Amino acid sequence: MSNQPVILAIDQGTTSTRAILFSAELDILAVQQKELKLHYPHKGWVEQDAVAIWRDTLEVCRAVLEHPVGRVKPVAAIGITNQRETTILWDRKTGKPVYNAIVWQDRRTDASCRELRARGHEPMVTARTGLLFDPYFSATKIAWILDSVEGARTRAEQGELAFGTIDCYLLWHLTGGRVHATDVTNAARTLLFNIVEQQWDKDLLALFSIPAAILPEVHDNAAEFGVTDPAWFGLEIPVGGMAGDQHAALIGQRCFQPGMVKSTYGTGCFALMNIGPDFRASHHRLLTTPAYRLNGRMVYAIEGSIFIAGAAIQWLRDGLEFFRDAAASEALARSVPDSNEVYFVPAFTGLGAPYWRPDVRGMISGLSRETTRAHIVRAALEAQGYQTLDLMAAMEEDGGHQAEIIRVDGGLVANGFMCQFLADMLNRPVEVPKVTEATALGAAILAGLTAGLFAGLEATECYWQRDRVYTPQMTEIERKRLYAGWQTAIQTLLHTPGNQGALTKNCLQPHLPIKS
Ligand code: ADP
């Protein structure tokens, strides 16, 4: 390897904070990680210690820079990627947060979202932000802090407080309080940023009663965000890239052409399709979001989420104690020729896109005397294929593009049976990259772009290496037969009388992802 400089990616996630050193060829050289605690002070509330988030970030960065590679090679730039929507307000003079970080999973502002929806504001908000009214996004979390922390609103109006999502908060600290800025992908998750006009929206600020004085500047994803205070690493390192985690993964998977899709299978599943330079609102209650903006040119994406993916395997392991290790699910699934008509709808927390039924719960159908553990496990893995096909159909209609290939990452893609079934159901090749750290990789690419290590996004494509590809092998007849069975199962679930009762109470409330 050459003497080229390295890139430091910070990946601040919901459950951990990581620092990863990448080579200029985008290979991973060193990783440091720290677990992060979640606090649940009340039912539906989820908070994190904002001070710990910064302290952990500094610690893992320092540790990874102590790695021999970090010590001998210059760090060209830092890239930041982060759990999205999580909200922090802090004092501009001291840097002290005025309240804990309110995590994206927090539902405390449910009532205010429902009230806003009942007042008929949602179509206007969707047309400007691509989002829906939901406590998931930052705006109502900010308003809650301003109204609940004594003196916060007055101080905010007087310009004493700053708001930021995690990226922005970390940048502020890294630069020693000199820079208050974010990027378009993170700004777009606040419900305050107009992604068509690409600026903070006065009407939305008024709607949520949020003073403009607290807002950061919004930059492209690859930009000169600022330099680190020498107090932290002994020298100034430029921060050159920033993007929310799912957007960074789209970049890490090099989905640069319209129609390209990345799908991440962790606890839940998040799929993003690049839809090119034109904003399109979803007709299936998916989200429209910036994929990335470079040199002032925006590229949009359609985002869909499945609440339960790997969590179903975890449940079979821990709840039903079918096996000790998630990896054992593959051999079990392969031990039977099919699921013997068993369908497993893992709607443990409701159904997401395109059904949006928060009220329904999971179901295993088609049980008979011949059903074994293996059939149920196989059905749980097959459900990932069916759920993704449901989502893909909605994304293709909304996005106006056909997905030729799907690039996947996340813990579940270690399961070859699942990946093959996915390819069969989608009737498209499914590609697994060599470096599955797509999120951190995306941040590194953005930082490297600003540092001049790559001529442009396309110049990073040559470093994307495919580990495996799964090509469709199922006959059309079989595919249709199996999917028809899934649709019957879904329809049964949607029309279960108990569920309908719950529907009348809850149907207006869209549920959004449970894991970022
Ligand atoms: P997250 O980032 O959401 O914590 P990960 O990407 O680490 O999730 O993936 C972990 C999930 O993947 C777990 O739910 C686990 O059950 C599942 N998983 C991991 N390995 C396998 C495997 N070989 N087969 C099936 N599921 C797996």
Side-chain angles (χ1 to χ4, degrees), residues 333-345:
R334 288 189 193 278
S335 72
V336 284
D338 54 42
S339 74
N340 199 21
E341 309 293 319
V342 173
Y343 285 89
F344 183 147
V345 187

Side-chain angles (χ1 to χ4, degrees), residues 422-483:
L422 192 59
D424 287 339
M425 226 4 82
L426 299 177
N427 202 21
R428 271 161 274 209
V430 166
E431 293 187 325
V432 184
K434 270 219 168 86
V435 179
T436 50
E437 294 289 351
T439 307
L441 197 49
I445 288 174
L446 292 168
L449 274 176
T450 306
L453 297 184
F454 318 117
L457 269 188
E458 285 71 21
T460 69
E461 275 172 354
C462 62
Y463 303 121
W464 188 88
Q465 283 182 10
R466 197 164 73 187
D467 186 51
R468 327 188 280 287
V469 61
Y470 296 87
T471 48
Q473 285 171 2
M474 196 177 272
T475 63
E476 187 66 10
I477 293 174
E478 183 66 352
R479 198 168 76 83
K480 285 199 169 138
R481 187 183 73 77
L482 289 176
Y483 188 56

Side-chain angles (χ1 to χ4, degrees), residues 57 62 80 130 140 147 157 228 256 284 289 337 385 421 459 499 504:
T57 303
R62 281 179 170 159
I80 303 175
T140 55
D147 292 332
E157 280 160 0
T228 58
F256 303 143
H284 296 91
T289 197
F421 192 80
N499 288 333
T504 50

Side-chain angles (χ1 to χ4, degrees), residues 15 264-268 309-314 317 325-330 381 409-415 515-516:
T15 55
T264 303
Y265 296 86
T267 304
I313 308 304
Q314 257 166 351
R317 187 192 62 190
D325 180 358
S329 61
E330 178 161 1
L381 291 168
D409 52 79
L412 215 125
V413 306
N415 192 307
K515 180 89 175 70
S516 187

Side-chain angles (χ1 to χ4, degrees), residues 54 90-95 162 168-181 227-229 232:
W54 163 235
W90 67 93
D91 183 306
R92 285 184 190 274
K93 276 213 187 89
T94 64
C168 171
Y169 170 75
L170 292 181
L171 177 71
W172 194 89
H173 278 285
L174 284 166
T175 58
R178 287 180 194 88
V179 181
H180 185 211
V227 294
T228 58
D229 190 304
W232 308 135

Side-chain angles (χ1 to χ4, degrees), residues 36-203:
L36 181 65
K37 276 204 192 114
L38 288 152
H39 304 282
Y40 307 96
H42 296 288
K43 191 164 179 275
W45 292 29
V46 190
E47 298 181 0
Q48 283 177 326
D49 178 355
V51 176
I53 291 176
W54 163 235
R55 198 181 49 224
D56 290 357
T57 303
L58 189 57
E59 202 176 298
V60 291
C61 286
R62 281 179 170 159
V64 89
L65 291 172
E66 278 301 304
H67 185 275
V69 174
R71 279 200 283 198
V72 297
K73 295 199 177 192
V75 181
I78 293 176
I80 303 175
T81 181
N82 56 291
Q83 50 166 318
R84 303 174 298 175
E85 299 96 13
T86 298
T87 298
I88 306 175
L89 263 78
W90 67 93
D91 183 306
R92 285 184 190 274
K93 276 213 187 89
T94 64
K96 254 179 89 176
V98 301
Y99 190 78
N100 272 342
I102 301 187
V103 178
W104 57 274
Q105 296 160 325
D106 191 291
R107 311 292 304 173
R108 81 185 65 186
T109 58
D110 216 355
S112 55
C113 287
R114 263 186 271 176
E115 192 200 315
L116 285 163
R117 194 176 311 115
R119 279 162 49 195
H121 293 301
E122 195 162 74
M124 178 276 277
V125 169
T126 301
R128 297 185 189 192
T129 64
L131 308 177
L132 306 162
F133 277 130
D134 194 275
Y136 180 39
F137 306 110
S138 310
T140 55
K141 297 182 200 295
I142 301 173
W144 187 91
I145 296 176
L146 292 177
D147 292 332
S148 309
V149 175
E150 207 185 326
R153 186 166 284 284
T154 313
R155 291 175 65 203
E157 280 160 0
Q158 289 168 353
E160 291 172 27
L161 302 186
F163 151 73
T165 41
I166 300 286
D167 53 303
C168 171
Y169 170 75
L170 292 181
L171 177 71
W172 194 89
H173 278 285
L174 284 166
T175 58
R178 287 180 194 88
V179 181
H180 185 211
T182 185
D183 73 89
V184 282
T185 65
N186 276 297
R189 313 298 291 194
T190 59
L191 274 175
L192 303 172
F193 190 74
N194 185 320
I195 65 171
V196 181
E197 292 176 1
Q198 301 179 35
Q199 57 186 2
W200 297 116
D201 189 303
K202 285 201 185 70
D203 298 334

